[in-house]
mmCIF file of all heavy atoms in Angstrom:
data_model
loop_
_atom_site.group_PDB
_atom_site.id
_atom_site.type_symbol
_atom_site.label_atom_id
_atom_site.label_comp_id
_atom_site.label_asym_id
_atom_site.label_seq_id
_atom_site.Cartn_x
_atom_site.Cartn_y
_atom_site.Cartn_z
ATOM 1 N N ARG T 9 104.184 94.408 107.442
ATOM 2 C CA ARG T 9 105.649 94.462 107.577
ATOM 3 C C ARG T 9 106.289 93.157 107.114
ATOM 4 O O ARG T 9 107.413 93.150 106.619
ATOM 5 C CB ARG T 9 106.030 94.727 109.029
ATOM 6 C CG ARG T 9 105.705 96.128 109.528
ATOM 7 C CD ARG T 9 106.486 97.213 108.759
ATOM 8 N NE ARG T 9 107.907 96.952 108.695
ATOM 9 C CZ ARG T 9 108.783 97.285 109.628
ATOM 10 N NH1 ARG T 9 108.381 97.879 110.735
ATOM 11 N NH2 ARG T 9 110.070 97.020 109.469
ATOM 12 N N TYR T 33 106.884 105.578 94.734
ATOM 13 C CA TYR T 33 107.789 104.627 94.091
ATOM 14 C C TYR T 33 107.718 103.268 94.787
ATOM 15 O O TYR T 33 107.522 103.192 95.994
ATOM 16 C CB TYR T 33 109.241 105.113 94.231
ATOM 17 C CG TYR T 33 109.479 106.556 93.849
ATOM 18 C CD1 TYR T 33 109.160 107.594 94.725
ATOM 19 C CD2 TYR T 33 110.028 106.882 92.612
ATOM 20 C CE1 TYR T 33 109.378 108.913 94.383
ATOM 21 C CE2 TYR T 33 110.258 108.209 92.265
ATOM 22 C CZ TYR T 33 109.932 109.220 93.150
ATOM 23 O OH TYR T 33 110.148 110.521 92.812
ATOM 24 N N TYR T 35 110.348 99.987 95.223
ATOM 25 C CA TYR T 35 111.675 99.443 95.028
ATOM 26 C C TYR T 35 111.709 98.004 95.541
ATOM 27 O O TYR T 35 111.002 97.642 96.482
ATOM 28 C CB TYR T 35 112.716 100.221 95.855
ATOM 29 C CG TYR T 35 113.052 101.603 95.372
ATOM 30 C CD1 TYR T 35 112.309 102.697 95.786
ATOM 31 C CD2 TYR T 35 114.135 101.824 94.529
ATOM 32 C CE1 TYR T 35 112.632 103.983 95.368
ATOM 33 C CE2 TYR T 35 114.471 103.108 94.107
ATOM 34 C CZ TYR T 35 113.713 104.174 94.536
ATOM 35 O OH TYR T 35 114.035 105.446 94.125
ATOM 36 N N GLN T 37 114.475 95.336 97.217
ATOM 37 C CA GLN T 37 115.802 95.212 97.799
ATOM 38 C C GLN T 37 116.075 93.750 98.106
ATOM 39 O O GLN T 37 115.466 93.170 98.998
ATOM 40 C CB GLN T 37 115.923 96.056 99.077
ATOM 41 C CG GLN T 37 117.340 96.078 99.636
ATOM 42 C CD GLN T 37 117.488 96.959 100.863
ATOM 43 O OE1 GLN T 37 116.552 97.139 101.636
ATOM 44 N NE2 GLN T 37 118.659 97.548 101.042
ATOM 45 N N LEU T 43 119.555 98.384 95.123
ATOM 46 C CA LEU T 43 118.118 98.647 95.072
ATOM 47 C C LEU T 43 117.655 98.711 93.626
ATOM 48 O O LEU T 43 118.292 99.343 92.778
ATOM 49 C CB LEU T 43 117.778 99.967 95.742
ATOM 50 C CG LEU T 43 117.364 99.911 97.200
ATOM 51 C CD1 LEU T 43 118.571 99.677 98.079
ATOM 52 C CD2 LEU T 43 116.660 101.179 97.610
ATOM 53 N N LEU T 45 114.652 99.947 91.208
ATOM 54 C CA LEU T 45 113.425 100.719 91.053
ATOM 55 C C LEU T 45 112.460 99.919 90.194
ATOM 56 O O LEU T 45 112.817 99.478 89.092
ATOM 57 C CB LEU T 45 113.729 102.063 90.388
ATOM 58 C CG LEU T 45 112.544 102.968 90.106
ATOM 59 C CD1 LEU T 45 111.874 103.406 91.397
ATOM 60 C CD2 LEU T 45 112.989 104.187 89.294
ATOM 61 N N VAL T 48 107.214 103.911 89.145
ATOM 62 C CA VAL T 48 107.128 105.308 89.571
ATOM 63 C C VAL T 48 105.755 105.837 89.203
ATOM 64 O O VAL T 48 105.284 105.637 88.074
ATOM 65 C CB VAL T 48 108.201 106.178 88.879
ATOM 66 C CG1 VAL T 48 108.077 107.625 89.348
ATOM 67 C CG2 VAL T 48 109.585 105.640 89.146
ATOM 68 N N LEU T 88 112.873 92.437 100.261
ATOM 69 C CA LEU T 88 112.266 93.551 100.974
ATOM 70 C C LEU T 88 111.738 94.531 99.934
ATOM 71 O O LEU T 88 112.496 94.971 99.059
ATOM 72 C CB LEU T 88 113.286 94.234 101.879
ATOM 73 C CG LEU T 88 112.786 95.410 102.724
ATOM 74 C CD1 LEU T 88 111.813 94.935 103.795
ATOM 75 C CD2 LEU T 88 113.952 96.154 103.370
ATOM 76 N N LEU T 90 110.269 98.138 99.212
ATOM 77 C CA LEU T 90 110.264 99.460 99.822
ATOM 78 C C LEU T 90 109.412 100.418 99.001
ATOM 79 O O LEU T 90 109.503 100.450 97.778
ATOM 80 C CB LEU T 90 111.682 100.016 99.911
ATOM 81 C CG LEU T 90 112.625 99.300 100.886
ATOM 82 C CD1 LEU T 90 114.063 99.715 100.632
ATOM 83 C CD2 LEU T 90 112.237 99.605 102.318
ATOM 84 N N GLU T 96 107.698 116.190 93.587
ATOM 85 C CA GLU T 96 108.370 116.330 92.304
ATOM 86 C C GLU T 96 107.960 117.610 91.600
ATOM 87 O O GLU T 96 106.984 117.653 90.862
ATOM 88 C CB GLU T 96 108.070 115.111 91.414
ATOM 89 C CG GLU T 96 108.798 113.866 91.852
ATOM 90 C CD GLU T 96 110.285 114.105 91.942
ATOM 91 O OE1 GLU T 96 110.910 114.449 90.936
ATOM 92 O OE2 GLU T 96 110.836 113.957 93.055
ATOM 93 N N GLY T 98 110.224 121.393 90.315
ATOM 94 C CA GLY T 98 111.369 122.262 90.545
ATOM 95 C C GLY T 98 112.685 121.508 90.629
ATOM 96 O O GLY T 98 112.931 120.565 89.897
ATOM 97 N N ILE T 100 116.035 119.285 91.585
ATOM 98 C CA ILE T 100 116.171 117.834 91.738
ATOM 99 C C ILE T 100 116.771 117.449 93.072
ATOM 100 O O ILE T 100 117.040 116.279 93.309
ATOM 101 C CB ILE T 100 117.019 117.234 90.602
ATOM 102 C CG1 ILE T 100 118.426 117.860 90.591
ATOM 103 C CG2 ILE T 100 116.323 117.406 89.270
ATOM 104 C CD1 ILE T 100 119.387 117.165 89.657
ATOM 105 N N GLY T 101 116.994 118.407 93.950
ATOM 106 C CA GLY T 101 117.613 118.078 95.223
ATOM 107 C C GLY T 101 116.660 117.563 96.270
ATOM 108 O O GLY T 101 117.064 117.270 97.386
ATOM 109 N N ARG T 102 115.382 117.448 95.917
ATOM 110 C CA ARG T 102 114.419 116.968 96.908
ATOM 111 C C ARG T 102 114.607 115.464 97.121
ATOM 112 O O ARG T 102 114.624 114.708 96.161
ATOM 113 C CB ARG T 102 112.995 117.247 96.437
ATOM 114 C CG ARG T 102 112.708 118.737 96.294
ATOM 115 C CD ARG T 102 111.343 118.965 95.699
ATOM 116 N NE ARG T 102 111.114 120.353 95.366
ATOM 117 C CZ ARG T 102 110.525 121.229 96.178
ATOM 118 N NH1 ARG T 102 110.103 120.848 97.357
ATOM 119 N NH2 ARG T 102 110.352 122.482 95.795
ATOM 120 N N PRO T 103 114.712 115.016 98.370
ATOM 121 C CA PRO T 103 114.969 113.601 98.626
ATOM 122 C C PRO T 103 113.692 112.778 98.560
ATOM 123 O O PRO T 103 112.581 113.307 98.616
ATOM 124 C CB PRO T 103 115.519 113.604 100.050
ATOM 125 C CG PRO T 103 114.840 114.777 100.690
ATOM 126 C CD PRO T 103 114.698 115.812 99.602
ATOM 127 N N GLN T 104 113.860 111.492 98.454
ATOM 128 C CA GLN T 104 112.753 110.560 98.593
ATOM 129 C C GLN T 104 112.697 110.105 100.057
ATOM 130 O O GLN T 104 113.724 109.931 100.701
ATOM 131 C CB GLN T 104 112.935 109.356 97.668
ATOM 132 C CG GLN T 104 112.821 109.740 96.199
ATOM 133 C CD GLN T 104 112.989 108.557 95.275
ATOM 134 O OE1 GLN T 104 113.048 107.412 95.709
ATOM 135 N NE2 GLN T 104 113.093 108.832 93.990
ATOM 136 N N PHE T 106 111.356 107.118 102.582
ATOM 137 C CA PHE T 106 111.075 105.695 102.482
ATOM 138 C C PHE T 106 110.262 105.192 103.662
ATOM 139 O O PHE T 106 110.415 105.657 104.795
ATOM 140 C CB PHE T 106 112.383 104.896 102.427
ATOM 141 C CG PHE T 106 113.094 104.984 101.114
ATOM 142 C CD1 PHE T 106 113.849 106.106 100.796
ATOM 143 C CD2 PHE T 106 112.995 103.959 100.186
ATOM 144 C CE1 PHE T 106 114.508 106.194 99.573
ATOM 145 C CE2 PHE T 106 113.650 104.039 98.965
ATOM 146 C CZ PHE T 106 114.405 105.150 98.657
ATOM 147 N N GLY T 107 109.425 104.182 103.376
ATOM 148 C CA GLY T 107 108.806 103.417 104.436
ATOM 149 C C GLY T 107 109.759 102.345 104.946
ATOM 150 O O GLY T 107 110.881 102.213 104.448
ATOM 151 N N ASP T 108 109.308 101.593 105.947
ATOM 152 C CA ASP T 108 110.154 100.558 106.542
ATOM 153 C C ASP T 108 110.143 99.246 105.762
ATOM 154 O O ASP T 108 110.874 98.319 106.098
ATOM 155 C CB ASP T 108 109.736 100.291 107.993
ATOM 156 C CG ASP T 108 110.161 101.417 108.916
ATOM 157 O OD1 ASP T 108 111.108 102.148 108.562
ATOM 158 O OD2 ASP T 108 109.547 101.567 109.985
ATOM 159 N N TYR J 30 124.305 117.923 85.895
ATOM 160 C CA TYR J 30 124.773 118.239 87.247
ATOM 161 C C TYR J 30 123.827 117.591 88.262
ATOM 162 O O TYR J 30 122.767 118.121 88.554
ATOM 163 C CB TYR J 30 124.831 119.752 87.431
ATOM 164 C CG TYR J 30 125.817 120.394 86.492
ATOM 165 C CD1 TYR J 30 125.404 120.925 85.281
ATOM 166 C CD2 TYR J 30 127.168 120.442 86.817
ATOM 167 C CE1 TYR J 30 126.316 121.499 84.410
ATOM 168 C CE2 TYR J 30 128.085 121.004 85.950
ATOM 169 C CZ TYR J 30 127.655 121.531 84.748
ATOM 170 O OH TYR J 30 128.548 122.092 83.886
ATOM 171 N N SER J 32 122.262 115.969 91.846
ATOM 172 C CA SER J 32 122.246 116.126 93.296
ATOM 173 C C SER J 32 122.699 114.799 93.893
ATOM 174 O O SER J 32 122.402 113.735 93.355
ATOM 175 C CB SER J 32 120.846 116.463 93.789
ATOM 176 O OG SER J 32 120.481 117.765 93.399
ATOM 177 N N PHE J 34 123.330 112.239 97.402
ATOM 178 C CA PHE J 34 122.706 111.891 98.679
ATOM 179 C C PHE J 34 123.451 110.742 99.341
ATOM 180 O O PHE J 34 124.017 109.873 98.667
ATOM 181 C CB PHE J 34 121.252 111.429 98.469
ATOM 182 C CG PHE J 34 120.384 112.381 97.698
ATOM 183 C CD1 PHE J 34 120.373 112.374 96.307
ATOM 184 C CD2 PHE J 34 119.567 113.283 98.361
ATOM 185 C CE1 PHE J 34 119.570 113.252 95.590
ATOM 186 C CE2 PHE J 34 118.755 114.155 97.651
ATOM 187 C CZ PHE J 34 118.760 114.144 96.272
ATOM 188 N N TYR J 36 122.080 107.872 102.081
ATOM 189 C CA TYR J 36 120.994 107.305 102.857
ATOM 190 C C TYR J 36 121.572 106.262 103.818
ATOM 191 O O TYR J 36 122.588 105.624 103.527
ATOM 192 C CB TYR J 36 119.965 106.613 101.954
ATOM 193 C CG TYR J 36 119.009 107.552 101.245
ATOM 194 C CD1 TYR J 36 119.371 108.181 100.060
ATOM 195 C CD2 TYR J 36 117.745 107.800 101.762
ATOM 196 C CE1 TYR J 36 118.491 109.041 99.408
ATOM 197 C CE2 TYR J 36 116.858 108.647 101.115
ATOM 198 C CZ TYR J 36 117.238 109.254 99.944
ATOM 199 O OH TYR J 36 116.369 110.101 99.303
ATOM 200 N N GLN J 38 120.406 102.836 106.313
ATOM 201 C CA GLN J 38 119.361 101.838 106.603
ATOM 202 C C GLN J 38 119.763 101.072 107.854
ATOM 203 O O GLN J 38 120.713 100.275 107.840
ATOM 204 C CB GLN J 38 119.182 100.882 105.428
ATOM 205 C CG GLN J 38 118.025 99.910 105.608
ATOM 206 C CD GLN J 38 117.806 99.042 104.381
ATOM 207 O OE1 GLN J 38 118.733 98.738 103.636
ATOM 208 N NE2 GLN J 38 116.563 98.644 104.147
ATOM 209 N N GLY J 41 116.171 96.273 110.037
ATOM 210 C CA GLY J 41 114.716 96.174 110.110
ATOM 211 C C GLY J 41 113.961 97.415 109.696
ATOM 212 O O GLY J 41 112.745 97.493 109.883
ATOM 213 N N GLU J 42 114.653 98.388 109.135
ATOM 214 C CA GLU J 42 113.990 99.631 108.752
ATOM 215 C C GLU J 42 114.216 99.955 107.275
ATOM 216 O O GLU J 42 115.000 99.296 106.591
ATOM 217 C CB GLU J 42 114.508 100.792 109.610
ATOM 218 C CG GLU J 42 114.245 100.616 111.100
ATOM 219 C CD GLU J 42 114.709 101.823 111.905
ATOM 220 O OE1 GLU J 42 115.024 102.876 111.309
ATOM 221 O OE2 GLU J 42 114.742 101.695 113.145
ATOM 222 N N GLY J 43 113.499 100.976 106.799
ATOM 223 C CA GLY J 43 113.731 101.458 105.445
ATOM 224 C C GLY J 43 114.891 102.427 105.405
ATOM 225 O O GLY J 43 115.615 102.604 106.385
ATOM 226 N N LEU J 44 115.078 103.060 104.255
ATOM 227 C CA LEU J 44 116.177 104.012 104.090
ATOM 228 C C LEU J 44 115.782 105.368 104.641
ATOM 229 O O LEU J 44 114.651 105.828 104.466
ATOM 230 C CB LEU J 44 116.535 104.162 102.608
ATOM 231 C CG LEU J 44 117.456 103.118 102.008
ATOM 232 C CD1 LEU J 44 116.788 101.772 101.919
ATOM 233 C CD2 LEU J 44 117.956 103.569 100.649
ATOM 234 N N LEU J 46 117.160 109.476 104.770
ATOM 235 C CA LEU J 46 118.125 110.436 104.253
ATOM 236 C C LEU J 46 119.068 110.849 105.369
ATOM 237 O O LEU J 46 118.644 111.281 106.436
ATOM 238 C CB LEU J 46 117.404 111.671 103.706
ATOM 239 C CG LEU J 46 118.317 112.756 103.160
ATOM 240 C CD1 LEU J 46 119.022 112.277 101.898
ATOM 241 C CD2 LEU J 46 117.512 114.028 102.878
ATOM 242 N N LYS J 49 122.719 115.493 102.139
ATOM 243 C CA LYS J 49 122.693 115.698 100.692
ATOM 244 C C LYS J 49 123.508 116.925 100.324
ATOM 245 O O LYS J 49 123.826 117.765 101.166
ATOM 246 C CB LYS J 49 121.265 115.855 100.198
ATOM 247 C CG LYS J 49 120.615 117.163 100.602
ATOM 248 C CD LYS J 49 119.249 117.324 99.932
ATOM 249 C CE LYS J 49 118.713 118.724 100.166
ATOM 250 N NZ LYS J 49 117.404 118.938 99.492
ATOM 251 N N THR J 51 123.716 119.594 96.686
ATOM 252 C CA THR J 51 123.065 119.804 95.397
ATOM 253 C C THR J 51 123.937 120.509 94.376
ATOM 254 O O THR J 51 123.552 120.616 93.205
ATOM 255 C CB THR J 51 121.763 120.610 95.575
ATOM 256 O OG1 THR J 51 122.080 121.849 96.209
ATOM 257 C CG2 THR J 51 120.766 119.845 96.423
ATOM 258 N N PHE J 89 124.070 103.973 101.876
ATOM 259 C CA PHE J 89 123.894 104.000 100.428
ATOM 260 C C PHE J 89 124.201 105.395 99.905
ATOM 261 O O PHE J 89 123.642 106.387 100.376
ATOM 262 C CB PHE J 89 122.451 103.663 100.039
ATOM 263 C CG PHE J 89 122.035 102.256 100.347
ATOM 264 C CD1 PHE J 89 121.470 101.930 101.563
ATOM 265 C CD2 PHE J 89 122.191 101.243 99.399
ATOM 266 C CE1 PHE J 89 121.079 100.638 101.847
ATOM 267 C CE2 PHE J 89 121.801 99.946 99.673
ATOM 268 C CZ PHE J 89 121.245 99.643 100.907
ATOM 269 N N ARG J 93 120.657 111.962 91.813
ATOM 270 C CA ARG J 93 119.557 112.270 90.898
ATOM 271 C C ARG J 93 120.092 113.270 89.894
ATOM 272 O O ARG J 93 120.674 114.289 90.276
ATOM 273 C CB ARG J 93 118.364 112.896 91.613
ATOM 274 C CG ARG J 93 117.728 112.037 92.642
ATOM 275 C CD ARG J 93 116.490 112.697 93.186
ATOM 276 N NE ARG J 93 115.347 112.501 92.301
ATOM 277 C CZ ARG J 93 114.160 113.049 92.498
ATOM 278 N NH1 ARG J 93 113.970 113.880 93.491
ATOM 279 N NH2 ARG J 93 113.170 112.800 91.684
ATOM 280 N N PRO J 95 119.244 115.450 86.079
ATOM 281 C CA PRO J 95 118.160 115.851 85.166
ATOM 282 C C PRO J 95 118.063 114.924 83.965
ATOM 283 O O PRO J 95 117.001 114.768 83.396
ATOM 284 C CB PRO J 95 118.575 117.259 84.735
ATOM 285 C CG PRO J 95 119.539 117.725 85.754
ATOM 286 C CD PRO J 95 120.236 116.504 86.256
ATOM 287 N N ARG J 99 115.020 112.091 86.379
ATOM 288 C CA ARG J 99 114.992 112.534 87.762
ATOM 289 C C ARG J 99 114.916 111.388 88.755
ATOM 290 O O ARG J 99 114.487 111.579 89.896
ATOM 291 C CB ARG J 99 113.836 113.511 87.987
ATOM 292 C CG ARG J 99 113.886 114.712 87.062
ATOM 293 C CD ARG J 99 112.535 115.388 86.994
ATOM 294 N NE ARG J 99 112.173 115.984 88.265
ATOM 295 C CZ ARG J 99 112.473 117.223 88.615
ATOM 296 N NH1 ARG J 99 113.159 117.981 87.798
ATOM 297 N NH2 ARG J 99 112.084 117.701 89.786
ATOM 298 N N GLN J 100 115.258 110.168 88.351
ATOM 299 C CA GLN J 100 115.169 109.043 89.262
ATOM 300 C C GLN J 100 116.428 108.948 90.097
ATOM 301 O O GLN J 100 117.502 109.377 89.709
ATOM 302 C CB GLN J 100 114.971 107.753 88.478
ATOM 303 C CG GLN J 100 113.767 107.738 87.568
ATOM 304 C CD GLN J 100 112.513 108.188 88.294
ATOM 305 O OE1 GLN J 100 112.306 107.879 89.461
ATOM 306 N NE2 GLN J 100 111.672 108.939 87.606
ATOM 307 N N LEU J 101 116.281 108.343 91.271
ATOM 308 C CA LEU J 101 117.417 108.083 92.147
ATOM 309 C C LEU J 101 118.184 106.879 91.629
ATOM 310 O O LEU J 101 117.586 105.846 91.337
ATOM 311 C CB LEU J 101 116.945 107.777 93.567
ATOM 312 C CG LEU J 101 116.899 108.899 94.597
ATOM 313 C CD1 LEU J 101 116.345 108.374 95.910
ATOM 314 C CD2 LEU J 101 118.275 109.498 94.811
ATOM 315 N N PHE J 103 121.134 104.358 92.938
ATOM 316 C CA PHE J 103 121.800 103.974 94.186
ATOM 317 C C PHE J 103 123.082 103.198 93.930
ATOM 318 O O PHE J 103 123.194 102.453 92.961
ATOM 319 C CB PHE J 103 120.886 103.079 95.026
ATOM 320 C CG PHE J 103 119.768 103.811 95.711
ATOM 321 C CD1 PHE J 103 118.534 103.945 95.103
ATOM 322 C CD2 PHE J 103 119.953 104.353 96.975
ATOM 323 C CE1 PHE J 103 117.499 104.616 95.741
ATOM 324 C CE2 PHE J 103 118.933 105.024 97.624
ATOM 325 C CZ PHE J 103 117.701 105.150 96.986
#
Side-chain angles (χ1 to χ4, degrees):
Chain T
R9 290 297 309 275
Y33 311 79
Y35 288 88
Q37 186 177 30
L43 266 75
L45 178 64
V48 180
L88 181 68
L90 292 166
E96 287 305 300
I100 59 171
R102 297 174 189 266
Q104 292 180 8
F106 286 79
D108 286 337
Chain J
Y30 297 95
S32 290
F34 307 85
Y36 282 83
Q38 186 176 30
E42 299 183 12
L44 277 69
L46 179 68
K49 71 173 189 178
T51 57
F89 293 90
R93 298 185 81 185
R99 304 161 67 90
Q100 303 310 322
L101 265 178
F103 285 92

